[in-house]
Amino acid sequence: MGLSAAQLKHGIDAVAAMEPGFAHAVEVAGYPEPRIRPRGYGTLMRTIVGQQVSVAAAASMWRKFEAHAGEELDPQRVLDADFDTLRACGLSRQKQGYMRSLCELVVTGQLDFEALPKDDEEAIVQLMLIKGIGRWSAEIYLLFAEGRQDIWPAGDLAVQAGLHKLLDLDARPTEKATREMAEKWRPHRGATAIFTWHCYNNPAL
């Protein structure tokens, strides 16, 4: 599961001790709530359903998909379904391709969500074997579903915007700069990322 409230506080306090801007933000905006998702392929199924559609559309599609796949979200049922069956769930041809890629990897045992590599980069590479799952989606999964404490989604625009505000930078940092400046915050970058999301559009700041 994702980082607990205690883990978030510990990580954020550690970075705030190095960064006055973070310390001020904690005083003003407080600590973020934990962001936790279930471990397993079901979370990435939901990610695929939700890509590039509104929250309402994703919720509707998910209800239809879950009714077909069952509460256990049986990947074999997805692989056995024809195009029209999945289309009736709201899944476009592209989403069906992504979903079938995920289910094929799970059914064949090429991707075991209970035994992902301990090394974060290796785990990200494995998750990116799924069509439609890029680095950001893989990082978010590892942070929210596995609670990996040093995940740092440097390509996330909200993370960059959060750092722009928290560190009083002249401009939103690039992905490269975002990655470089966070090196000194290891091994607390996961909590730091969640704190930037908490702060970047926070009216208290």
Side-chain angles (χ1 to χ4, degrees):
M1 300 296 278
L3 296 177
S4 67
Q7 288 174 313
L8 284 174
K9 184 178 186 302
H10 174 72
I12 292 166
D13 285 348
V15 175
M18 295 182 264
E19 304 289 353
F22 277 73
H24 171 71
V26 170
E27 290 179 9
V28 175
Y31 296 96
E33 293 294 319
R35 298 191 179 200
I36 294 174
R37 301 289 183 272
R39 174 184 281 183
Y41 60 81
T43 289
L44 283 175
M45 282 183 169
R46 194 150 197 161
T47 297
I48 291 169
V49 166
Q51 286 175 336
Q52 298 181 324
V53 297
S54 70
V55 173
S60 175
M61 289 165 59
W62 182 255
R63 284 194 298 270
K64 295 173 183 176
F65 175 75
E66 195 173 30
H68 169 73
E71 289 185 7
E72 298 301 316
L73 300 173
D74 183 358
Q76 190 61 56
R77 293 186 68 176
V78 177
L79 294 174
D80 291 343
D82 59 22
F83 174 84
D84 289 336
T85 298
L86 294 180
R87 189 71 186 89
C89 297
L91 297 183
S92 64
R93 186 175 300 277
Q94 185 179 58
K95 285 184 185 295
Q96 289 190 36
Y98 296 165
M99 194 70 78
R100 290 184 188 280
S101 171
L102 168 58
C103 292
E104 183 71 31
L105 290 167
V106 171
V107 167
T108 60
Q110 296 178 69
L111 193 54
D112 182 354
F113 282 87
E114 298 302 317
L116 290 174
K118 297 296 185 186
D119 180 83
D120 291 339
E121 283 300 317
E122 290 180 13
I124 288 168
V125 169
Q126 235 185 63
L127 291 171
M128 287 172 60
L129 292 174
I130 306 164
K131 290 179 182 177
I133 297 298
R135 183 179 182 90
W136 181 85
S137 294
E139 289 170 333
I140 296 305
Y141 175 83
L142 293 173
L143 183 56
F144 291 176
E146 294 214 340
R148 300 209 182 192
Q149 297 188 34
D150 204 37
I151 292 292
W152 182 239
D156 187 284
L157 294 181
V159 168
Q160 296 168 9
L163 291 182
H164 180 198
K165 175 182 286 190
L166 290 166
L167 300 179
D168 195 25
L169 304 174
D170 291 335
R172 178 169 59 82
T174 64
E175 179 175 351
K176 180 181 179 183
T178 298
R179 198 170 300 283
E180 290 173 350
M181 72 176 65
E183 282 298 311
K184 62 182 176 180
W185 301 333
R186 289 179 179 270
H188 306 295
R189 296 183 301 171
T192 305
I194 292 173
F195 190 60
T196 61
W197 290 321
H198 175 63
C199 293
Y200 90 100
N201 204 24
N202 195 311
L205 293 169

